[in-house]
Amino acid sequence: MARILIVEDETRISDFLDRGLRAAGYATSVASDGETGLHLALAGDVDLVVLDLGLPDRDGLDVLRDLRGSGSDVPVIVLTARGGVRDTVTGLTTGATDYVVKPFHFAELEARVALRLAEARRPGSGSVRAWRRISATASAA
């Protein structure tokens, strides 16, 4: 059973995600702040992270940077109200595997979770490897 970490400070949303993902057959854990979320993600006991950007203690992009900076390649789906093109591009180039804007349809999020988990299971695949290539290319330009 895949393990999903939900990093979301709004209880209404985290409870909704927790119930929905559990009903879909996933094991879940919830962190309501970035520091706790980063600690749990780095512990290595999760297969995918759903990460809000507007967290109370630190920005989710900083959490994502620290996660990727540590070498973690766990898939991260950003789930945020920040829906501008620049926001999406920044999230993806910072290391997000996927980017979903609130409000969202749970069925779409569930499909993205399944897809990202399937991709992570394939040897030699991974958006983090692609992200590192994109980052290296952007730095060289």
Side-chain angles (χ1 to χ4, degrees):
M1 175 184 310
R3 299 154 303 178
I4 299 174
L5 171 62
I6 301 162
V7 185
E8 170 63 62
D9 63 314
E10 292 185 43
T11 305
R12 181 179 53 85
I13 296 172
S14 63
D15 288 350
F16 172 73
L17 292 170
D18 187 43
R19 283 191 311 272
L21 291 169
R22 283 180 187 271
Y26 300 106
T28 61
S29 54
V30 177
S32 61
D33 63 79
E35 282 302 317
T36 304
L38 179 61
H39 174 74
L40 291 173
L42 288 174
D45 197 30
V46 297
D47 299 305
L48 183 137
V49 177
V50 176
L51 176 66
D52 183 24
L53 296 184
L55 298 169
D57 59 337
R58 61 189 298 202
D59 191 80
L61 286 174
D62 292 333
V63 173
L64 183 57
R65 280 185 193 97
D66 289 350
L67 185 63
R68 294 304 184 226
S70 75
S72 174
D73 63 354
V74 65
V76 175
I77 298 176
V78 168
L79 181 64
T80 182
R82 298 179 196 170
V85 172
R86 280 190 181 155
D87 297 313
T88 304
V89 169
T90 299
L92 293 170
T93 58
T94 300
T97 312
D98 207 339
Y99 198 97
V100 178
V101 178
K102 296 174 187 174
F104 63 99
H105 292 280
F106 183 79
E108 179 183 352
L109 179 67
E110 184 181 359
R112 289 172 185 262
V113 165
L115 175 66
R116 299 308 171 208
L117 286 169
E119 287 175 348
R121 288 185 194 111
R122 283 185 290 198
S125 70
S127 60
V128 172
R129 288 177 197 83
W131 166 76
R132 288 186 178 139
R133 285 191 302 272
I134 291 167
S135 294
T137 303
S139 296

